[in-house]
Amino acid sequence: RRTYLELIKAMFPEDPEFPLPDFNFYDVNAKLSQNLGKDDKVFISGFASADNLDLEGYGAKMDLEISNRLLSGRWTHIFSSDLFNTVNFSTSKYINNLNGDQSGYEFIIENSITDYTLKNSLEWFTSEFFTTKFGFEIKDSIQTIKLPFSKT
């Protein structure tokens, strides 16, 4: 999925007093699943998106970017009819950047969050009435923020 606003904008004459912003976005997602035998299944999925807005006028310039990235994998193994295990790994990144210039004062705000997750779960159908679950989850997140300002 993406926008075609730039094609529509190109059909109209540019008005320097009331400039139209440049705006575009896209989203892409995919999923792949594969049986590795009767007891093993693997799934891989991904997602990417970005929104971009560029605006210039009245002595100011601004560029805004917001994007997301995700990749995940899952493996399920069946030990028996009453015992199975699932391992998940995922990573994601969120980005939010704003660059601008207001009468010679430039600013850049860069913000991102990266997340890593590893999860394992073992399910045992102990009886007709009880299910026992074991597992663990490990997460790590990294946030980066940059705020440089300058006068040109």
Side-chain angles (χ1 to χ4, degrees):
R1 178 177 85 117
R2 82 178 293 277
T3 180
Y4 295 99
L5 183 62
E6 71 274 9
L7 298 176
I8 296 169
K9 184 181 166 188
M11 291 189 279
F12 297 99
E14 187 75 29
D15 184 351
E17 284 194 43
F18 301 102
L20 293 173
D22 290 326
F23 176 70
N24 62 69
F25 67 85
Y26 70 87
D27 298 317
V28 177
N29 63 53
K31 183 174 183 178
L32 174 68
S33 61
Q34 180 67 45
N35 291 336
L36 301 177
K38 67 180 186 86
D39 295 332
D40 294 287
K41 291 186 179 192
V42 175
F43 302 88
I44 298 172
S45 59
F47 174 79
S49 73
D51 294 358
N52 296 295
L53 173 65
D54 298 329
L55 181 61
E56 189 170 350
Y58 306 107
K61 181 179 178 184
M62 180 187 75
D63 299 322
L64 175 65
E65 172 199 3
I66 300 172
S67 65
N68 290 289
R69 307 279 185 269
L70 169 71
L71 180 64
S72 69
R74 182 177 79 213
W75 168 44
T76 300
H77 177 73
I78 301 170
F79 291 103
S80 66
S81 62
D82 61 353
L83 181 66
F84 69 94
N85 189 67
T86 302
V87 178
N88 291 290
F89 174 75
S90 66
T91 181
S92 65
K93 185 168 191 171
Y94 169 77
I95 298 170
N96 184 346
N97 295 333
L98 176 62
N99 301 319
D101 186 330
Q102 174 66 45
S103 303
Y105 287 95
E106 294 181 0
F107 60 90
I108 301 171
I109 301 171
E110 296 177 348
N111 179 29
S112 69
I113 300 171
T114 305
D115 179 74
Y116 302 98
T117 303
L118 175 64
K119 182 178 178 179
N120 187 76
S121 62
L122 183 69
E123 290 196 45
W124 176 28
F125 297 102
T126 316
S127 74
E128 170 180 347
F129 303 104
F130 295 104
T131 301
T132 305
K133 294 182 181 183
F134 305 92
F136 68 86
E137 182 173 344
I138 300 169
K139 294 179 81 72
D140 186 26
S141 294
I142 303 165
Q143 182 173 12
T144 306
I145 300 174
K146 296 179 184 175
L147 302 167
F149 292 86
S150 66
K151 170 114 171 86
T152 57

